[in-house]
Amino acid sequence: MTEAAARRAPGAPCWVSLIVHGLTATQDFYSRLFGWEFRPGPEQLGPYVRALLSGKEVAGIGQLPPDRHLPIAWTTYLASEDAGVTAEAIRSCGGTVAVGPIDAGNAGRLLLASDPSGAVFGVWQAAEHLGTALAGTPGTPVWNELVTRETASVATFYRTVFGFETEAVVSADFDYQTLHLQGRPVAALHGVGHALPRDRGPHWMTYFQVADTDEAAARVVELGGHVLRAPRDASSGRLATVSDPEGAVFTIVRPPGS
């Protein structure tokens, strides 16, 4: 178990959050799946709680207003020193800013945006709340990956806005680019072509670490969720793609050597 870095480099994934219709039922699902506990967070966008493991904040869950019907999905937040400047860069590079920048109490400032392909992501300018405070243990976010049609065009957007360096896998049949900051991989772009789910479009995928992928996948089903891709072995470990009862998709993974 390791502490996550205190303040993330600009561009680094720093937080994940989920906005749902049933806040209480969703808390119950994730507490029973990951062992999360909850405490109230800033409510600038409505009722909101922060998930805790060992007293450390690992994710956020909010509630949609009853009249809003937005896609239920985990959102990856990328760190920024100045959300206003980042918003301008997003717009100038062909992205769209949908919400903000707005203040989240004393915690910081946030915005919600989409890249030129339509994939939604958040931007977080930390003040008192630095982001995910625990890493390397089951129940914590371990990786973030953009699933898109092809990576070449959208890679330019993320490089320009956030200063990533990109490293491509050289392969005729595998379109994958790792995003690096200060020489360290922090996220990835994965082009899947026609395998992209039509009902979802391009999207950021959150990976959560688990102790046993098969056991966790079975638990998801017991708790009312679904297994979308059965547990399988990959270079990143044993992973499965699942969804919670409201349809939010995420990946569970047991990393190699964990």
Coordinates of all heavy atoms in Angstrom, one line a residue, residues 100-168:
G100 N -18.4 24.7 -16.2 CA -17.3 25.4 -15.5 C -16.4 26.2 -16.4 O -16.7 26.5 -17.6
P101 N -15.2 26.6 -15.8 CA -14.8 26.3 -14.5 C -15.7 26.8 -13.4 O -16.1 28.0 -13.5 CB -13.4 26.9 -14.4 CG -13.0 27.2 -15.8 CD -14.3 27.5 -16.5
I102 N -15.9 26.0 -12.3 CA -16.7 26.4 -11.2 C -15.9 26.1 -9.9 O -15.1 25.1 -9.9 CB -18.1 25.8 -11.1 CG1 -18.0 24.2 -11.1 CG2 -18.9 26.2 -12.3 CD1 -19.3 23.6 -10.9
D103 N -16.2 26.8 -8.9 CA -15.5 26.5 -7.6 C -16.3 25.4 -6.9 O -17.5 25.4 -6.8 CB -15.5 27.8 -6.7 CG -14.6 28.9 -7.2 OD1 -13.5 28.5 -7.7 OD2 -14.9 30.0 -7.2
A104 N -15.5 24.5 -6.3 CA -16.1 23.4 -5.4 C -15.7 23.7 -4.0 O -14.9 23.1 -3.4 CB -15.6 22.1 -5.9
G105 N -16.3 24.7 -3.5 CA -16.0 25.2 -2.1 C -14.6 25.5 -2.0 O -14.0 26.1 -2.8
N106 N -14.0 25.0 -0.8 CA -12.5 25.2 -0.6 C -11.7 24.1 -1.2 O -10.5 24.2 -1.1 CB -12.2 25.3 0.9 CG -12.9 26.5 1.6 OD1 -13.1 27.5 1.0 ND2 -13.4 26.3 2.8
A107 N -12.4 23.1 -1.9 CA -11.6 22.0 -2.4 C -10.8 22.3 -3.6 O -9.7 21.8 -3.7 CB -12.6 20.8 -2.7
G108 N -11.3 23.2 -4.5 CA -10.6 23.5 -5.7 C -11.6 23.9 -6.8 O -12.8 24.3 -6.5
R109 N -11.2 23.9 -8.0 CA -12.0 24.3 -9.1 C -12.1 23.2 -10.1 O -11.1 22.4 -10.3 CB -11.5 25.6 -9.8 CG -11.4 26.8 -9.0 CD -11.0 28.0 -9.8 NE -12.1 28.6 -10.5 CZ -12.0 29.2 -11.7 NH1 -10.9 29.3 -12.3 NH2 -13.1 29.8 -12.3
L110 N -13.2 23.1 -10.8 CA -13.3 22.0 -11.8 C -14.0 22.4 -13.0 O -14.7 23.4 -13.0 CB -14.1 20.8 -11.1 CG -15.6 21.0 -10.8 CD1 -16.5 20.6 -12.0 CD2 -16.0 20.2 -9.6
L111 N -13.8 21.6 -14.1 CA -14.6 21.8 -15.3 C -14.8 20.4 -15.9 O -14.1 19.5 -15.6 CB -14.0 22.7 -16.3 CG -12.6 22.4 -16.9 CD1 -12.7 21.5 -18.1 CD2 -11.9 23.6 -17.3
L112 N -15.9 20.3 -16.7 CA -16.2 19.1 -17.4 C -16.1 19.4 -18.9 O -16.7 20.4 -19.3 CB -17.6 18.5 -17.1 CG -17.7 18.0 -15.6 CD1 -19.2 17.7 -15.3 CD2 -16.9 16.7 -15.5
A113 N -15.4 18.6 -19.7 CA -15.2 18.9 -21.1 C -15.3 17.6 -21.9 O -15.4 16.5 -21.4 CB -13.8 19.5 -21.2
S114 N -15.2 17.8 -23.2 CA -15.1 16.6 -24.1 C -14.0 16.9 -25.1 O -13.8 18.1 -25.5 CB -16.4 16.3 -24.8 OG -16.9 17.4 -25.5
D115 N -13.3 15.9 -25.5 CA -12.2 16.1 -26.5 C -12.9 16.1 -27.9 O -14.1 15.9 -28.0 CB -11.2 15.0 -26.4 CG -11.7 13.6 -26.7 OD1 -12.6 13.4 -27.5 OD2 -11.1 12.6 -26.2
P116 N -12.1 16.3 -29.0 CA -12.7 16.4 -30.3 C -13.5 15.2 -30.8 O -14.3 15.3 -31.6 CB -11.5 16.7 -31.2 CG -10.5 17.4 -30.3 CD -10.7 16.7 -29.0
S117 N -13.2 14.0 -30.2 CA -13.9 12.8 -30.5 C -15.2 12.7 -29.7 O -16.0 11.8 -30.0 CB -13.0 11.6 -30.3 OG -12.9 11.3 -28.9
G118 N -15.4 13.5 -28.7 CA -16.6 13.4 -27.9 C -16.4 12.8 -26.6 O -17.4 12.7 -25.8
A119 N -15.2 12.3 -26.2 CA -15.0 11.6 -25.0 C -15.0 12.7 -23.8 O -14.3 13.7 -23.9 CB -13.7 10.9 -25.0
V120 N -15.8 12.4 -22.8 CA -15.9 13.3 -21.7 C -14.8 13.1 -20.6 O -14.4 12.0 -20.3 CB -17.3 13.1 -21.0 CG1 -17.4 14.0 -19.7 CG2 -18.4 13.5 -22.0
F121 N -14.3 14.2 -20.1 CA -13.3 14.1 -19.0 C -13.4 15.3 -18.2 O -14.1 16.3 -18.5 CB -11.8 14.0 -19.6 CG -11.4 15.2 -20.4 CD1 -10.7 16.2 -19.8 CD2 -11.7 15.3 -21.7 CE1 -10.3 17.3 -20.5 CE2 -11.3 16.4 -22.5 CZ -10.6 17.4 -21.8
G122 N -12.9 15.3 -17.0 CA -12.9 16.4 -16.1 C -11.5 17.0 -15.9 O -10.5 16.4 -16.3
V123 N -11.5 18.3 -15.5 CA -10.2 18.9 -15.1 C -10.3 19.4 -13.7 O -11.4 20.0 -13.3 CB -9.9 20.1 -16.1 CG1 -8.8 21.0 -15.6 CG2 -9.7 19.6 -17.5
W124 N -9.3 19.2 -12.9 CA -9.3 19.6 -11.5 C -8.1 20.4 -11.1 O -7.0 20.1 -11.3 CB -9.3 18.3 -10.6 CG -9.3 18.6 -9.1 CD1 -8.3 18.5 -8.2 CD2 -10.5 19.1 -8.4 NE1 -8.7 18.9 -7.0 CE2 -10.1 19.3 -7.0 CE3 -11.8 19.5 -8.7 CZ2 -10.9 19.8 -6.1 CZ3 -12.6 20.0 -7.8 CH2 -12.2 20.1 -6.4
Q125 N -8.4 21.6 -10.6 CA -7.4 22.6 -10.1 C -7.5 22.5 -8.6 O -8.4 22.9 -7.9 CB -7.7 24.0 -10.5 CG -6.8 25.0 -10.0 CD -7.2 26.4 -10.3 OE1 -7.8 26.7 -11.3 NE2 -6.8 27.4 -9.5
A126 N -6.5 21.8 -8.0 CA -6.6 21.5 -6.6 C -6.3 22.7 -5.7 O -5.5 23.6 -6.0 CB -5.5 20.4 -6.2
A127 N -7.1 22.8 -4.6 CA -6.8 23.7 -3.5 C -6.6 22.8 -2.3 O -5.6 22.2 -2.1 CB -8.0 24.7 -3.3
E128 N -7.7 22.7 -1.4 CA -7.5 21.8 -0.3 C -7.6 20.3 -0.6 O -7.0 19.5 0.1 CB -8.6 22.2 0.8 CG -8.4 23.5 1.5 CD -9.5 23.8 2.5 OE1 -10.4 22.9 2.7 OE2 -9.5 24.9 3.1
H129 N -8.4 20.0 -1.7 CA -8.5 18.6 -2.1 C -7.5 18.3 -3.2 O -7.7 18.8 -4.3 CB -10.0 18.4 -2.5 CG -10.2 17.0 -3.1 ND1 -10.0 15.8 -2.3 CD2 -10.6 16.6 -4.3 CE1 -10.3 14.8 -3.0 NE2 -10.6 15.2 -4.2
L130 N -6.6 17.5 -3.0 CA -5.5 17.2 -3.9 C -5.9 16.1 -4.9 O -5.2 15.9 -5.9 CB -4.2 16.9 -3.2 CG -3.6 18.0 -2.3 CD1 -2.4 17.5 -1.6 CD2 -3.3 19.3 -3.2
G131 N -6.9 15.3 -4.6 CA -7.3 14.2 -5.4 C -7.2 12.9 -4.7 O -7.2 12.8 -3.4
T132 N -7.1 11.8 -5.4 CA -7.0 10.5 -4.9 C -5.8 10.4 -3.9 O -4.7 10.7 -4.3 CB -6.9 9.4 -6.0 OG1 -8.0 9.6 -6.9 CG2 -7.0 8.0 -5.4
A133 N -6.1 9.9 -2.7 CA -5.0 10.0 -1.7 C -4.4 8.6 -1.3 O -3.6 8.5 -0.4 CB -5.6 10.6 -0.4
L134 N -4.8 7.6 -2.1 CA -4.3 6.2 -1.8 C -4.1 5.5 -3.1 O -5.0 5.6 -4.0 CB -5.3 5.5 -0.9 CG -4.9 4.2 -0.3 CD1 -3.7 4.4 0.7 CD2 -6.0 3.5 0.5
A135 N -3.1 4.7 -3.2 CA -2.8 3.9 -4.4 C -2.2 2.6 -4.1 O -1.7 2.4 -3.0 CB -1.9 4.7 -5.4
G136 N -2.3 1.6 -5.0 CA -1.6 0.4 -4.8 C -2.2 -0.6 -3.9 O -1.6 -1.5 -3.4
T137 N -3.5 -0.4 -3.7 CA -4.3 -1.4 -2.8 C -5.6 -1.6 -3.4 O -6.2 -0.8 -4.1 CB -4.4 -0.8 -1.4 OG1 -4.8 -1.8 -0.5 CG2 -5.3 0.4 -1.3
P138 N -6.2 -2.8 -3.2 CA -7.6 -3.1 -3.8 C -8.6 -2.0 -3.4 O -8.6 -1.5 -2.3 CB -7.9 -4.4 -3.2 CG -6.6 -5.1 -3.0 CD -5.7 -4.0 -2.5
G139 N -9.4 -1.6 -4.4 CA -10.4 -0.6 -4.2 C -10.0 0.8 -4.7 O -10.8 1.7 -4.6
T140 N -8.7 0.9 -5.2 CA -8.3 2.2 -5.6 C -8.1 2.3 -7.1 O -7.9 1.3 -7.8 CB -6.9 2.6 -5.0 OG1 -5.9 1.6 -5.4 CG2 -6.9 2.6 -3.5
P141 N -8.3 3.5 -7.7 CA -8.1 3.6 -9.2 C -6.6 3.3 -9.4 O -5.7 3.8 -8.7 CB -8.4 5.1 -9.4 CG -9.2 5.6 -8.3 CD -8.7 4.8 -7.1
V142 N -6.3 2.5 -10.5 CA -5.0 2.2 -10.8 C -4.5 2.6 -12.2 O -3.3 2.7 -12.4 CB -4.8 0.6 -10.6 CG1 -5.5 -0.2 -11.7 CG2 -3.3 0.2 -10.5
W143 N -5.5 2.9 -13.0 CA -5.1 3.3 -14.4 C -6.3 4.0 -15.1 O -7.5 3.8 -14.7 CB -4.7 2.1 -15.2 CG -4.1 2.3 -16.6 CD1 -4.7 1.9 -17.8 CD2 -2.9 3.0 -16.9 NE1 -3.8 2.3 -18.8 CE2 -2.8 3.0 -18.3 CE3 -1.9 3.6 -16.1 CZ2 -1.7 3.5 -19.0 CZ3 -0.8 4.2 -16.8 CH2 -0.7 4.1 -18.2
N144 N -6.1 4.9 -16.0 CA -7.1 5.5 -16.8 C -6.7 5.5 -18.3 O -5.6 5.7 -18.6 CB -7.2 7.0 -16.4 CG -7.7 7.2 -15.0 OD1 -8.9 7.2 -14.7 ND2 -6.7 7.2 -14.0
E145 N -7.7 5.1 -19.1 CA -7.4 4.9 -20.5 C -8.6 5.4 -21.4 O -9.7 5.1 -21.1 CB -7.2 3.4 -20.7 CG -6.8 3.0 -22.1 CD -6.3 1.5 -22.1 OE1 -5.3 1.2 -21.5 OE2 -7.1 0.7 -22.6
L146 N -8.2 6.2 -22.4 CA -9.2 6.6 -23.4 C -9.4 5.6 -24.4 O -8.5 5.1 -25.1 CB -8.8 7.9 -24.0 CG -9.7 8.4 -25.2 CD1 -11.0 8.9 -24.6 CD2 -9.0 9.5 -26.0
V147 N -10.7 5.1 -24.5 CA -11.1 4.1 -25.5 C -11.7 4.9 -26.7 O -12.7 5.6 -26.5 CB -12.0 3.1 -25.0 CG1 -12.4 2.0 -26.0 CG2 -11.4 2.4 -23.7
T148 N -11.1 4.9 -27.9 CA -11.5 5.7 -29.0 C -11.4 5.0 -30.3 O -10.9 3.8 -30.3 CB -10.7 7.0 -28.9 OG1 -11.3 8.0 -29.9 CG2 -9.3 6.8 -29.2
R149 N -11.8 5.6 -31.4 CA -11.7 4.9 -32.7 C -10.3 4.7 -33.1 O -9.9 3.7 -33.5 CB -12.6 5.6 -33.7 CG -14.1 5.4 -33.5 CD -14.9 6.0 -34.6 NE -16.3 5.8 -34.2 CZ -17.0 6.6 -33.4 NH1 -16.4 7.7 -32.9 NH2 -18.3 6.4 -33.1
E150 N -9.6 5.9 -33.2 CA -8.2 5.8 -33.5 C -7.5 6.9 -32.8 O -8.0 8.0 -32.5 CB -8.0 6.0 -35.1 CG -8.7 7.2 -35.7 CD -7.8 8.4 -35.6 OE1 -6.6 8.3 -35.6 OE2 -8.3 9.5 -35.6
T151 N -6.2 6.7 -32.5 CA -5.5 7.6 -31.5 C -4.8 8.7 -32.1 O -4.5 9.7 -31.5 CB -4.5 6.8 -30.7 OG1 -3.4 6.3 -31.6 CG2 -5.1 5.6 -30.0
A152 N -4.5 8.7 -33.4 CA -3.6 9.7 -34.0 C -4.1 11.1 -33.9 O -3.4 12.0 -33.4 CB -3.3 9.4 -35.5
S153 N -5.4 11.3 -34.2 CA -5.9 12.7 -34.2 C -6.1 13.2 -32.8 O -5.8 14.4 -32.5 CB -7.2 12.8 -35.0 OG -8.1 11.9 -34.5
V154 N -6.6 12.4 -31.9 CA -6.9 12.8 -30.6 C -5.6 12.9 -29.7 O -5.6 13.7 -28.8 CB -8.0 11.9 -29.9 CG1 -7.4 10.6 -29.4 CG2 -8.8 12.6 -28.8
A155 N -4.6 12.2 -30.1 CA -3.3 12.3 -29.3 C -2.8 13.8 -29.4 O -2.2 14.3 -28.5 CB -2.3 11.3 -29.9
T156 N -3.0 14.4 -30.6 CA -2.5 15.8 -30.7 C -3.2 16.7 -29.8 O -2.6 17.6 -29.2 CB -2.8 16.2 -32.2 OG1 -2.1 15.3 -33.1 CG2 -2.3 17.7 -32.4
F157 N -4.5 16.5 -29.6 CA -5.3 17.3 -28.6 C -4.7 17.2 -27.2 O -4.5 18.2 -26.5 CB -6.8 16.8 -28.6 CG -7.6 17.4 -27.5 CD1 -8.2 18.7 -27.7 CD2 -7.8 16.7 -26.4 CE1 -9.0 19.2 -26.7 CE2 -8.6 17.2 -25.4 CZ -9.2 18.5 -25.5
Y158 N -4.5 15.9 -26.7 CA -4.1 15.8 -25.4 C -2.6 16.2 -25.2 O -2.3 16.8 -24.1 CB -4.2 14.3 -24.9 CG -5.7 13.9 -24.7 CD1 -6.4 13.3 -25.6 CD2 -6.3 14.3 -23.5 CE1 -7.8 13.0 -25.4 CE2 -7.6 14.1 -23.3 CZ -8.4 13.4 -24.2 OH -9.7 13.1 -24.0
R159 N -1.8 16.0 -26.2 CA -0.4 16.5 -26.1 C -0.4 18.1 -26.0 O 0.3 18.6 -25.2 CB 0.4 16.1 -27.4 CG 1.0 14.8 -27.3 CD 2.1 14.6 -28.3 NE 1.7 14.9 -29.7 CZ 1.3 14.0 -30.6 NH1 1.3 12.7 -30.2 NH2 0.8 14.3 -31.8
T160 N -1.2 18.7 -26.8 CA -1.2 20.2 -26.8 C -1.8 20.8 -25.6 O -1.2 21.7 -25.0 CB -1.9 20.7 -28.1 OG1 -1.4 20.1 -29.2 CG2 -1.8 22.2 -28.2
V161 N -2.9 20.3 -25.1 CA -3.6 20.8 -24.0 C -2.9 20.5 -22.7 O -2.8 21.4 -21.8 CB -5.1 20.3 -23.9 CG1 -5.8 20.8 -22.6 CG2 -5.9 20.8 -25.1
F162 N -2.4 19.3 -22.5 CA -1.8 18.9 -21.2 C -0.3 18.6 -21.2 O 0.2 18.4 -20.1 CB -2.6 17.6 -20.8 CG -4.0 17.8 -20.5 CD1 -5.0 17.4 -21.3 CD2 -4.4 18.5 -19.3 CE1 -6.4 17.6 -21.1 CE2 -5.8 18.7 -19.0 CZ -6.7 18.3 -19.9
G163 N 0.3 18.7 -22.3 CA 1.8 18.6 -22.3 C 2.3 17.2 -22.2 O 3.4 16.9 -21.9
F164 N 1.4 16.2 -22.6 CA 1.9 14.8 -22.5 C 2.9 14.6 -23.6 O 2.9 15.1 -24.7 CB 0.7 13.8 -22.8 CG -0.4 13.8 -21.8 CD1 -1.7 14.2 -22.1 CD2 -0.1 13.4 -20.5 CE1 -2.7 14.1 -21.1 CE2 -1.1 13.4 -19.5 CZ -2.4 13.7 -19.8
E165 N 3.8 13.6 -23.3 CA 4.6 13.0 -24.4 C 3.9 11.7 -24.6 O 3.4 11.0 -23.7 CB 6.1 12.8 -23.9 CG 6.8 14.1 -23.6 CD 8.1 13.9 -22.9 OE1 8.4 12.7 -22.6 OE2 8.8 14.8 -22.7
T166 N 3.9 11.3 -25.9 CA 3.2 10.0 -26.3 C 4.2 9.0 -26.8 O 5.2 9.3 -27.4 CB 2.1 10.3 -27.3 OG1 2.7 10.9 -28.4 CG2 1.0 11.1 -26.8
E167 N 3.9 7.8 -26.4 CA 4.8 6.6 -26.9 C 3.8 5.6 -27.5 O 3.0 5.0 -26.8 CB 5.5 6.0 -25.7 CG 6.5 4.9 -26.1 CD 7.3 4.4 -24.9 OE1 8.0 5.2 -24.2 OE2 7.1 3.2 -24.6
A168 N 4.0 5.4 -28.8 CA 3.1 4.5 -29.5 C 3.6 3.1 -29.5 O 4.8 2.8 -29.6 CB 2.8 5.0 -30.9

